[in-house]
Amino acid sequence: CCQVIKVEHCERVHIIAAAKRICIANCRECIFYLGVNHQPLIVGDNHKLHIAPFNTYYPRLGEHLTQVGVDPSTNKWDQPFVLGVVDLHDSLSHPAGVSDVQAESATCVDPDLFTNFLDS
C-alpha cells in the first residue's frame, strides 16, 4: 500500500497494488490487480496490459490503507485513462514507421479468471 505507484518498462509481471494512484508506462504483457482511488494512468508504449480488481487480503491491510490514506470503498481499477500517443517512427519498437496512433489501453481480465492471491 502506498499513495502513488509508478510502473515503468516492465515485461510479463503480475503486480498487486493498493494505492491512491498508479501510473503505468511502457509495459508489455503485464497484469495489474488494482485497488486504486483514481483512474489508472496509462502512458507511453504499452502492449497487452490486463487489469483486474485488487485480489488479496492480509491481517494488517486495513491499517496500511489508513496509514497512506487509501479509501477501500472506492476502487477505479476498471477505468483506465490513456494519455499520449505512441511514436511509431521509433525504429526500436516499430521498425515499420507507420504514423502515430493512440496509445494502447488495458483490457479487463475476464471475471471468470479472477483469483485470490494468498500468501502462505
Side-chain angles (χ1 to χ4, degrees), residues 42-44 82-86 101-104:
I42 299 176
V43 297
V82 179
L83 184 65
V85 294
V86 176
V101 296
Q102 183 66 33
E104 186 176 320

Side-chain angles (χ1 to χ4, degrees), residues 28-65:
R28 298 176 186 277
E29 299 177 32
C30 298
I31 301 175
F32 296 88
Y33 299 91
L34 302 175
V36 289
N37 293 157
H38 298 275
Q39 293 174 277
L41 179 60
I42 299 176
V43 297
D45 189 10
N46 297 287
H47 297 281
K48 297 183 182 177
L49 301 184
H50 290 76
I51 53 175
F54 188 72
N55 66 341
T56 193
Y57 172 81
Y58 57 93
R60 295 185 60 201
L61 177 61
E63 177 185 332
H64 292 159
L65 292 172

Side-chain angles (χ1 to χ4, degrees), residues 33 50-53 77-78 107-116:
Y33 299 91
H50 290 76
I51 53 175
W77 70 273
D78 59 346
T107 57
C108 293
V109 172
D110 185 321
D112 291 338
L113 301 176
F114 288 170
T115 57
N116 288 328

Side-chain angles (χ1 to χ4, degrees), residues 2-3 18 24 32-33 62 72 75 80 87-88 97 102 116:
C2 64
Q3 288 192 5
I24 301 166
F32 296 88
Y33 299 91
N75 190 0
D87 180 4
L88 294 180
Q102 183 66 33
N116 288 328

